[in-house]
Structures are given as structure tokens and as C-alpha cells.
């Protein structure tokens, strides 16, 4: 368990008690950390830890599929493991949603490593592919109800390696607490930023073929979620133009409790992201916004999500954004293509009375397992919500022509964006 359980206080109350993964962004050579097999293994850590393995995909007809395994540890209680699936068709507005507590969860299954897991209701197997152009793959098989079964293969292109921000076993980690050797908690993200999916879905006895593109993120919150962050922003853009384009971001904002000068100096914004251009992983981005700093508009490394036009939503009590502006900038990691690459994306979300692309406002407390709500003070006096949207957008790109022809003059790439705005407190 973490030292936060005992309310320890550092000798210097003004000492930094938050250490972001993006705190070294000036060292641009350290931004890209290639994933090792161990980076995607399940840790199933004890204490208060939430670990997730999430697959997002857009199909050829623009249907969005999300599959997620959630491993929730709550102190000395037995972990709760969920499998959740959301399938959203933007043309018919139909949403299929399943969230089940699984039984007999095991990692690793016999003969596999801990990137794979299984339970009575599903199996996710990580294995090499027979196709050298897509060397790694996950095979997902799930029986989620009498009327919903999944059989999917998710593969990673050889030209798009998985990544974390920072190299080595500590890559991807942000730490909470003054003592890095004994942190109060941590957050870590590892990504496959572009994947291919194929297979089929059986819903109400009808089989549908699945083909599309997407991403994978393996994430861990090594502390109670309500102590990790007050806000989250997530962006997932995909397009098949120019041989494949992807733009992703994951951003969180710490509570006031954790910042550069100890308790009371928080509200630190941490953002990590990437750009896949021409079917190749081209840029890794990471940025920290400290409460006492104004970000530079010409920063050589930029990774930002800005909520615009907040409007009070009577359904949730939060001020939801009317639009979001996402920005990326960083040095190319492609051999033979030097220089800075930049990207921006604007999405109009409408307002509570006239939303644009809204899939759902997820009441988090209604979805988490009963044992977590009753045994843990999960969110003190708040009701967290996750807004989910899907829209057609344009990604504005600029960089070296050796990456994509015409990039130096600027390109507009049309594609699909799935994005979330989470309000925790």
C-alpha cells in the first residue's frame, strides 16, 4: 500500500510533491520510449490501484467500438474485474453497452505472458502475427450476454511502434508525493497509437463483419481516482488519408493537493500525445502546464487540450465545453525527416440543449462496481461524469515534405474524432 494511507508529511511542506512524466520535455530526444513487452503486462497491483486495457476502433461505416478490461484493487479487498464494451453507430444513433463483472480472472493464462488475460466471460491473447507488416496482435473473444458476442483481431503495424513518454522501465510514469523512492501514487500510460481491427460481432443473433482502425492504451492509476485528477481530456483521431494518419492525446489535471510547491500548489496539467503520419509514428508530444506559468505559443514541444465556451449543464452540474482545441508539436522521430511537425484540431460540440456528436454523458458512480462505491470513499461530495463525443473533423498538419508530400505548405486531413471530457470534482 502507498504511504498516503498513513498521511505522511514531507519535512519541507513546500517541497514538490508531484513529478510529471512530461517534466523533461526540453530533452526532446527522451520523449520517445519504445515499448518493451513488459510495459504492456498486467501488474494487478494491490492497494488502491485501477488498471485498464482499452481498445478503441472506428469501423468502415464509422461505427465506434470500445472494449475495456478494468482491474480495480481496493485495499485489502479482493479486486473487482470488469469487461465493458460500447458500440455506437453515429448514423442510426444506436448504442450497445455492456458492463459485466467477470469471474475467475487470470493473468497470464497458461502458456502466455502477462500481456494476456482471461476470465469465464472473455479472453484477450497477445501473440506474434504471421504477417510481418503487422508483427503483433491481440485476439479478443468475449461473450458479454445472450445477445452480444465479440471475436476481434487487433494488430499493430510494424511502422507504428508502441510508445511511452520517456525511456526505460520508468517511462510513462507521473509520480505523486515528495519522495520518489516511496511515492504516494502514480499514473502511467502506454500506447499503440494506430491499430487495425478485423473480425465479427454477433448482436441479437445477427453477425456483422468488423474492419477498421484504432488504438490501444494500457493505463494505471496507482492511487484513488478522486485523488489523482480533477479533470481529464482524451482525443482519438483516425484517418486513412495519406497512408494513415492518427492523432491522440491523454491529459489530466491534478488536484490542488499536488504541485510544484507541495499541498495547495496543484492544478498541474499533464498532457501526452502522438502523431502518426503517412502510416508511420512521426511525433511524440508531452507538456506540463504549471499553475504559475503561461504556456509559450511557440514552444518546440506542445501537447495541449483547451476547453472553450464552457456552458452550465443542468443534467450534470458541470460546465461542459462548447468546443475543444487540441494542439501537437514536436521534433520528427522519423529517420531522414528532420524538423518540427505541428498539428491542430478544433471540434464544435454544441451546447447542452443542442449537442453536436454527443454519444453519452456517463454517470461514473452508476457504472462502477457496488463494492467500490460502498467500501471506498471514491469521490467525496462529488458526482463524476464523462462526456463522450464522436464527430467529423479536420486535422491541420504542417511539417517536412519528406513525411507527406505537401506537408510544408500545410495539409487538412479529414477524419473521425472520438473524444472525452471527464469531470471528477
Amino acid at each position: 500500500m502507498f504511504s498516503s494511507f498513513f498521511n505522511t508529511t514531507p519535512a519541507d511542506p513546500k517541497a514538490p510533491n508531484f513529478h510529471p512524466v512530461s517534466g523533461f520535455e526540453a530533452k526532446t530526444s527522451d520523449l520517445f520510449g519504445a515499448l518493451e513487452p513488459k510495459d504492456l503486462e498486467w501488474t494487478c497491483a494491490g492497494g488502491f490501484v485501477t488498471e485498464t486495457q482499452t481498445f478503441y476502433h472506428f469501423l468502415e461505416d464509422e461505427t465506434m467500438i470500445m472494449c475495456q478490461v478494468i482491474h480495480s484493487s481496493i485495499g485489502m479487498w479482493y479486486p473487482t474485474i470488469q469487461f465493458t464494451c460500447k458500440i455506437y453507430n453515429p448514423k442510426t444513433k444506436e448504442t450497445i453497452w455492456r458492463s459485466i463483472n467477470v469471474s475467475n480472472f487470470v493473468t497470464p493464462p497458461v502458456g502466455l505472458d502477462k500481456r494476456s488475460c482471461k476470465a469465464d466471460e472473455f479472453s484477450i491473447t497477445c501473440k506474434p502475427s504471421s504477417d510481418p507488416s503487422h508483427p503483433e496482435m491481440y485476439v479478443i473473444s468475449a461473450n458479454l450476454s445472450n445477445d452480444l458476442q465479440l471475436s476481434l483481431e487487433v494488430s499493430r503495424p510494424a511502422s507504428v511502434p508502441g510508445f511511452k513518454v520517456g525511456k526505460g522501465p520508468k517511462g510513462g510514469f507521473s509520480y505523486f508525493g515528495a519522495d520518489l523512492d516511496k511515492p504516494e501514487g502514480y499514473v502511467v500510460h502506454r500506447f499503440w497509437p494506430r491499430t487495425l481491427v478485423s473480425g465479427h460481432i454477433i448482436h441479437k443473433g445477427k453477425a456483422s463483419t468488423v474492419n477498421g482502425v484504432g488504438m490501444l492504451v494500457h493505463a494505471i492509476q496507482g492511487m484513488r481516482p478522486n485523488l489523482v485528477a480533477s479533470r481529464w481530456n482524451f482525443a482519438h483521431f483516425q484517418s486513412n488519408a495519406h497512408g494513415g494518419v492518427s492523432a491522440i492525446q491523454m491529459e489530466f489535471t491534478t488536484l490542488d493537493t499536488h504541485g510544484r510547491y507541495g499541498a495547495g500548489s496543484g492544478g498541474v496539467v499533464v498532457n501526452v500525445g502522438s502523431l502518426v503520419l503517412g502510416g508511420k509514428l512521426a511525433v511524440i508530444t508531452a507538456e506540463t502546464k504549471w499553475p504559475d506559468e503561461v504556456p509559450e505559443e511557440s514552444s518546440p514541444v506542445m501537447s495541449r487540450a483547451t476547453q472553450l465556451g464552457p456552458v452550465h449543464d443542468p443534467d450534470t452540474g458541470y460546465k461542459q465545453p462548447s468546443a475543444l482545441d487540441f494542439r501537437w508539436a514536436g521534433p520528427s522521430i522519423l529517420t531522414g525527416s528532420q524538423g518540427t511537425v505541428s498539428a491542430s484540431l478544433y471540434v464544435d460540440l454544441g451546447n447542452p440543449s443542442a449537442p453536436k456528436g454527443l454519444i453519452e454523458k456517463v454517470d461514473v458512480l452508476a457504472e462502477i462496481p457496488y463494492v467500490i462505491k460502498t467500501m471506498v470513499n471514491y469521490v467525496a461530495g462529488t458526482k463524476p461524469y464523462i462526456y463522450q463525443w464522436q464527430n467529423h473533423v479536420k486535422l491541420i498538419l504542417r511539417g517536412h515534405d519528406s513525411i507527406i508530400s505537401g506537408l510544408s505548405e500545410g495539409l487538412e486531413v479529414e477524419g473521425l474524432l472520438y473524444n472525452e471530457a471527464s469531470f471528477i470534482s
Side-chain angles (χ1 to χ4, degrees):
M1 296 186 184
F2 297 108
S3 58
S4 59
F5 294 175
F6 306 102
N7 297 317
T8 57
T9 302
D12 179 1
K14 295 297 183 181
N17 66 354
F18 179 64
H19 308 273
V21 66
S22 50
F24 57 82
E25 59 261 35
K27 300 178 182 178
T28 54
S29 61
D30 288 337
L31 282 170
F32 172 59
L35 290 190
E36 302 293 334
K38 192 172 182 62
D39 289 325
L40 291 175
E41 290 185 351
W42 285 93
T43 65
C44 301
F48 284 83
V49 180
T50 303
E51 184 171 6
T52 59
Q53 183 184 60
T54 312
F55 301 84
Y56 299 93
H57 282 96
F58 297 118
L59 305 188
E60 292 175 337
D61 66 353
E62 301 185 355
T63 293
M64 186 275 293
I65 297 180
M66 182 274 288
C67 296
Q68 181 180 64
V69 181
I70 310 170
H71 185 286
S72 303
S73 295
I74 45 174
M76 295 179 291
W77 297 93
Y78 188 80
T80 298
I81 297 92
Q82 290 174 277
F83 190 104
T84 67
C85 175
K86 176 169 285 186
I87 304 172
Y88 171 70
N89 186 319
K91 297 176 181 177
T92 65
K93 307 302 182 185
E94 179 186 16
T95 299
I96 303 169
W97 168 249
R98 297 290 185 276
S99 179
I100 61 173
N101 290 346
V102 305
S103 52
N104 297 316
F105 177 84
V106 175
T107 183
V110 176
L112 300 170
D113 63 31
K114 293 187 73 173
R115 291 175 295 177
S116 303
C117 61
K118 69 182 293 291
D120 291 346
E121 297 81 1
F122 79 93
S123 67
I124 298 179
T125 302
C126 184
K127 64 179 185 178
S129 167
S130 58
D131 180 359
S133 69
H134 291 76
E136 294 182 285
M137 66 187 303
Y138 283 89
V139 178
I140 304 170
S141 178
N143 186 354
L144 303 180
S145 63
N146 291 334
D147 63 352
L148 183 62
Q149 295 83 43
L150 308 176
S151 179
L152 307 174
E153 292 187 353
V154 178
S155 60
R156 178 188 65 77
S159 57
V160 187
F163 79 91
K164 56 194 174 185
V165 173
K167 300 176 181 178
K170 298 291 187 180
F173 279 85
S174 292
Y175 290 102
F176 294 76
D179 188 348
L180 282 173
D181 294 327
K182 297 179 180 179
E184 297 172 12
Y186 60 90
V187 171
V188 61
H189 293 91
R190 279 80 177 252
F191 302 93
W192 281 6
R194 186 168 170 91
T195 58
L196 297 184
V197 63
S198 62
H200 63 269
I201 298 169
I202 300 176
H203 182 229
K204 295 182 178 179
K206 180 181 178 180
S208 300
T209 300
V210 168
N211 284 293
V213 295
M215 63 167 285
L216 159 69
V217 56
H218 191 118
I220 309 174
Q221 295 183 43
M223 196 160 66
R224 299 185 190 189
N226 61 301
L227 301 180
V228 168
S230 61
R231 300 283 189 273
W232 290 84
N233 285 306
F234 170 62
H236 171 218
F237 172 91
Q238 297 285 349
S239 172
N240 287 324
H242 304 288
V245 173
S246 162
I248 65 173
Q249 274 189 22
M250 185 73 74
E251 178 185 277
F252 67 93
T253 303
T254 71
L255 277 67
D256 188 59
T257 52
H258 289 84
R260 193 187 341 236
Y261 305 111
S265 67
V268 185
V269 180
V270 179
N271 187 307
V272 299
S274 69
L275 297 171
V276 173
L277 305 177
K280 300 177 182 180
L281 181 60
V283 180
I284 306 298
T285 62
E287 190 174 21
T288 304
K289 180 181 178 294
W290 300 95
D292 58 346
E293 289 183 349
V294 177
E296 297 180 11
E297 284 301 317
S298 58
S299 175
V301 178
M302 187 182 300
S303 206
R304 299 176 190 174
T306 305
Q307 295 189 5
L308 304 172
V311 179
H312 175 74
D313 182 358
D315 291 342
T316 67
Y318 290 104
K319 289 186 176 181
Q320 74 158 82
S322 299
L324 273 157
D325 180 68
F326 295 96
R327 300 199 177 190
W328 297 257
S332 168
I333 64 172
L334 294 173
T335 302
S337 298
Q338 305 303 312
T340 297
V341 179
S342 64
S344 63
L345 183 159
Y346 174 89
V347 57
D348 182 358
L349 303 173
N351 57 57
S353 60
K356 295 183 179 180
L358 180 67
I359 299 174
E360 188 177 1
K361 306 170 189 177
V362 179
D363 180 348
V364 175
L365 292 181
E367 300 296 343
I368 62 175
Y370 175 78
V371 67
I372 295 180
K373 285 187 286 189
T374 56
M375 299 301 177
V376 179
N377 184 11
Y378 189 81
V379 177
T382 65
K383 191 172 184 179
Y385 272 90
I386 303 173
Y387 290 79
Q388 301 174 331
W389 297 274
Q390 180 172 319
N391 285 284
H392 289 93
V393 296
K394 292 182 179 180
L395 183 71
I396 311 302
L397 295 167
R398 189 175 294 274
H400 199 279
D401 285 344
S402 59
I403 301 175
I404 298 175
S405 178
L407 194 59
S408 63
E409 297 298 320
L411 292 175
E412 290 188 358
V413 178
E414 296 185 358
L416 284 174
L417 172 71
Y418 171 83
N419 70 291
E420 296 181 347
S422 301
F423 298 86
I424 310 301
S425 62

